[in-house]
Amino acid sequence: MPDLLVLKFGGTALGTPARLRRAARRIAAHRAGGVDVLAVVSASGPTTDRILRTLTRITGALPPAPDRETDRALSTGEELSAALIAAGLRALGHPARSFSGGEAGLHAEGPFGGATLVHFDAAPLRRCLRDGIIPVVAGFQAVGPDREVRTLGRGASDLTAVYLATRLDARECHIVTDVDGVYDADPRQSATATRHPALSHAALLALAEDGAEIVHAGAAREALASRVPLQVYSYDAPLRHRSGTWIREGAA
């Protein structure tokens, strides 16, 4: 089989129809370049916050309780993004299929709203890749031992992507976000923030645990354990010669 690339798209990268089409074109371009591609997606734009606001208005609870119905409601944001990207890829002539976390073989244990990934059945995604179909997986979610949807905590689509990249032996995993790499300060807040061209896995984890929000701390921890190479860059970066930050062995 060809090398596998995992592409994860954050919510801002999918926030408008134009950005959804751009994401589909990026996936298609990599696939046309001769690599297998698996996409992991967040809920687009403010979808998660909008669902939470609606739950608050209905239940009167702030924040809404992390229970079965909350997880089922929240999981629909990522599932919608996955279906839209798969539809966009099909419109570009590339076979694609959307997956919920459970359909993708992701199993978790623990409470609603903060479950932990514990097992992965690779067969559904490997079969899809073998058949030349691009899988588009809803991030942030898995299925519990009771077959109920479990979400993994805010920002955990990054974790889904790195977890899958590790267990499918991907060549690398790209985190496509709303900034062009990992900075020494939040570039949305500081005009003097400086982008790191490269970081070690340990340095990325230290930044994430110190409060940097570019990569989910759980994803950084998973990447450190597996040493899977990551690249973080903006959704509007060119396909080639893009800036960004590499996270790999041997980096400073």
Side-chain angles (χ1 to χ4, degrees):
M1 290 181 64
D3 285 344
L4 175 65
L5 170 65
V6 174
L7 287 171
K8 183 268 173 178
F9 294 88
T12 303
L14 307 174
T16 66
R19 292 178 187 179
L20 286 158
R21 289 193 297 269
R22 185 194 293 263
R25 289 196 300 269
R26 185 179 297 278
I27 295 165
H30 280 291
R31 184 68 188 88
V35 298
D36 280 341
V37 182
L38 182 152
V40 175
V41 294
S42 298
S44 64
T47 299
T48 299
D49 288 333
R50 186 164 58 244
I51 293 170
L52 286 169
R53 285 196 301 270
T54 301
L55 284 166
T56 296
R57 290 174 184 146
I58 291 169
T59 66
L62 183 65
D67 60 13
R68 176 184 186 272
E69 304 310 330
T70 301
D71 271 16
R72 287 178 67 88
L74 291 175
S75 68
T76 63
E78 281 72 17
E79 291 176 15
L80 176 59
S81 289
L84 292 173
I85 290 293
L89 285 165
R90 291 169 67 87
L92 293 171
H94 290 271
R97 180 182 174 186
S98 62
F99 289 81
S100 68
E103 290 168 343
L106 292 164
H107 296 259
E109 293 180 355
F112 292 108
T116 300
L117 292 168
V118 294
H119 174 65
F120 172 52
D121 175 8
L125 295 182
R126 289 198 183 280
R127 185 165 52 246
C128 198
L129 291 164
R130 183 196 64 210
D131 293 342
I133 300 168
I134 300 171
V136 186
V137 179
F140 168 69
Q141 60 179 265
V143 67
D146 53 3
R147 305 303 301 171
E148 297 284 1
V149 172
R150 293 288 197 285
T151 63
L152 310 175
R154 289 298 293 264
S157 291
D158 287 356
L159 174 59
T160 301
V162 177
Y163 187 92
L164 289 175
T166 297
R167 282 149 184 82
L168 292 169
D169 299 316
R171 181 185 72 189
E172 54 199 46
C173 176
H174 294 185
I175 308 294
V176 186
T177 183
D178 60 345
V179 295
D180 64 340
V182 180
Y183 283 71
D184 59 3
D186 189 339
R188 295 163 293 199
Q189 305 293 328
S190 172
T192 61
T194 301
R195 179 175 57 83
H196 296 283
L199 286 169
S200 68
H201 291 91
L204 175 69
L205 178 57
L207 286 170
E209 290 183 335
D210 197 38
E213 297 180 353
I214 301 304
V215 177
H216 184 272
R221 199 170 297 113
E222 182 73 28
L224 174 61
S226 66
R227 309 294 180 175
V228 63
L230 307 181
Q231 191 179 24
V232 181
Y233 54 87
S234 173
Y235 65 86
D236 59 0
L239 187 66
R240 294 181 175 84
H241 309 299
R242 56 186 174 266
S243 59
T245 301
W246 274 105
I247 294 94
R248 54 191 171 191
E249 287 302 287

